[in-house]
Amino acid sequence: MSSLTLYHASPSRSSVVLWMLEELGQPYDIHLLSLTKEENRKPDYLAINPMGKVPALKDGDATLAEAAAIAAYVAERYPEAKLAPKLGDPLRAKYLYWLFFGPGCIEPAMVQLATKIEMNPVAAGWGDAQRVIDVLDVALSKGPWILGEPFSAADIVIGSGLNFAVRLFKMIPARPSFDAYIARCMARPAFQRAEKIAAG
């Protein structure tokens, strides 16, 4: 029996962790939650994630939520998967930056674009949506991955966000760098396995 259990609902941010776990190559269990039945609001799940959102991950006695936090945790828990630069590696600073750029900048920019809400770019933690898109465009134009040659958990977070925002829901306008990057992500066997699992 695996020590890792993913609390999952589809479609949701838990697809990020599903892909991460498939890249890991370690056994894991999936506990499916029905959001329409509000199983994520029941006391047993709220004990794991008080926010009542997915994903959440249980690893033995440890539990945590938030997709990027789970990605960081899993990458460090299983260093043999080489999904994060080691401590002391200068690339680790960029890795952490991009890992948290996903929820800190891309997701708010997606919401801003989808809702057309006006935000003061000085007050908004992500600045403004256009700058987020432009910064990401420049970074991904270098390729093949967000850190250059090595694929990392940061690509899983960024790639999942762009797949959702550009390819699936067209919330962010397509750009050549985005399309090429998403195609590279989709070509990964772990991404394909995760999509099949998510589709049921």
Side-chain angles (χ1 to χ4, degrees):
M1 182 177 168
S2 170
S3 69
L4 295 173
T5 300
L6 169 63
Y7 291 82
H8 174 66
S10 186
S12 75
R13 286 178 186 87
S14 59
S15 62
V16 177
V17 180
L18 194 56
W19 178 14
M20 179 80 189
L21 293 174
E22 284 298 316
E23 290 282 355
L24 202 62
Q26 295 288 331
Y28 65 93
D29 298 314
I30 297 178
H31 184 100
L32 283 174
L33 292 169
S34 169
L35 303 183
T36 54
K37 293 179 183 173
E38 296 193 341
E39 291 175 351
N40 55 312
R41 299 289 180 187
K42 294 190 175 171
D44 57 340
Y45 185 67
L46 291 175
I48 293 165
N49 183 3
M51 289 296 290
K53 300 189 307 175
V54 290
L57 185 77
K58 190 166 186 181
D59 180 15
D61 293 331
T63 57
L64 74 159
E66 298 303 325
I70 294 170
Y73 174 86
V74 169
E76 291 187 5
R77 175 90 160 78
Y78 296 93
E80 64 275 13
K82 297 182 178 169
L83 291 171
K86 293 180 181 175
L87 285 171
D89 184 332
L91 211 50
R92 190 167 174 84
K94 263 188 163 178
Y95 160 74
L96 290 171
Y97 171 78
W98 288 114
L99 186 65
F100 295 103
F101 190 87
C105 295
I106 297 174
E107 287 187 19
M110 284 165 42
V111 172
Q112 184 182 0
L113 290 167
T115 61
K116 300 189 175 21
I117 191 169
E118 290 296 323
M119 287 291 297
N120 179 339
V122 175
W126 65 95
D128 67 79
Q130 191 58 52
R131 180 167 295 248
V132 169
I133 292 168
D134 291 343
V135 165
L136 199 51
D137 189 11
V138 170
L140 292 177
S141 295
K142 298 169 189 173
W145 303 111
I146 197 73
L147 300 180
E149 285 302 322
F151 176 84
S152 72
D155 290 297
I156 295 172
V157 170
I158 298 281
S160 294
L162 282 180
N163 182 54
F164 183 90
V166 177
R167 177 177 156 247
L168 298 177
F169 292 97
K170 301 183 176 20
M171 299 163 84
I172 291 178
R175 292 192 179 187
S177 69
F178 296 169
D179 291 341
Y181 180 70
I182 293 166
R184 287 192 293 275
C185 290
M186 291 176 65
R188 294 186 69 84
F191 180 99
Q192 294 168 14
R193 290 193 303 270
E195 277 216 322
K196 281 183 186 170
I197 293 166

